[in-house]
Amino acid sequence: MLISTLRMWLILNRIKELRLNKNISQSELGKKVNASNQAISAYESGFRTPKKETWQALADFFGVSVPYLQGAYSKQEILKILQEYYLRYF
């Protein structure tokens, strides 16, 4: 349970992080990837996951790979995230 919750948190925050780094709203991102701002909000909050074509549109827009968007991290990044998670919640 902890691993799946952590993985979902990583994915959702990856989309939101990239959007905020580009300084655009959910509505603006939705227009760029042909999705509603409600859909973008749902992706970022965990209520929905993007369809395959939406994953690709998001990856293309942000200039990253789909696996990166879906939470692919290096070992160093995973260790850092786990340390931060542990310090915050335990």
Side-chain angles (χ1 to χ4, degrees):
M1 175 70 177
L2 174 63
I3 298 301
S4 63
T5 301
L6 181 58
R7 185 173 190 284
M8 182 58 77
W9 178 81
L10 295 173
I11 293 168
L12 302 175
N13 282 291
R14 179 69 52 89
I15 294 170
K16 186 174 184 176
E17 174 189 357
L18 291 168
R19 179 180 62 79
L20 293 176
N21 283 343
K22 283 202 171 270
N23 199 30
I24 61 172
S25 68
Q26 291 175 338
S27 179
E28 290 171 303
L29 177 57
K31 289 176 186 170
K32 299 287 187 183
V33 299
N34 198 29
S36 68
N37 63 312
Q38 292 90 347
I40 300 299
S41 176
Y43 303 152
E44 291 182 356
S45 61
F47 291 112
R48 289 175 52 186
T49 56
K51 294 179 183 178
K52 184 179 179 179
E53 55 274 2
T54 305
W55 278 122
Q56 190 60 59
L58 287 163
D60 291 344
F61 175 75
F62 289 121
V64 298
S65 68
V66 172
Y68 178 83
L69 272 182
Q70 292 175 328
Y73 282 87
S74 69
K75 288 180 184 179
Q76 291 80 13
E77 289 173 312
I78 291 170
L79 289 174
K80 181 181 176 194
I81 290 165
L82 287 172
Q83 286 175 327
E84 290 172 0
Y85 185 86
Y86 180 81
L87 291 173
R88 182 180 294 166
Y89 296 106
F90 295 101

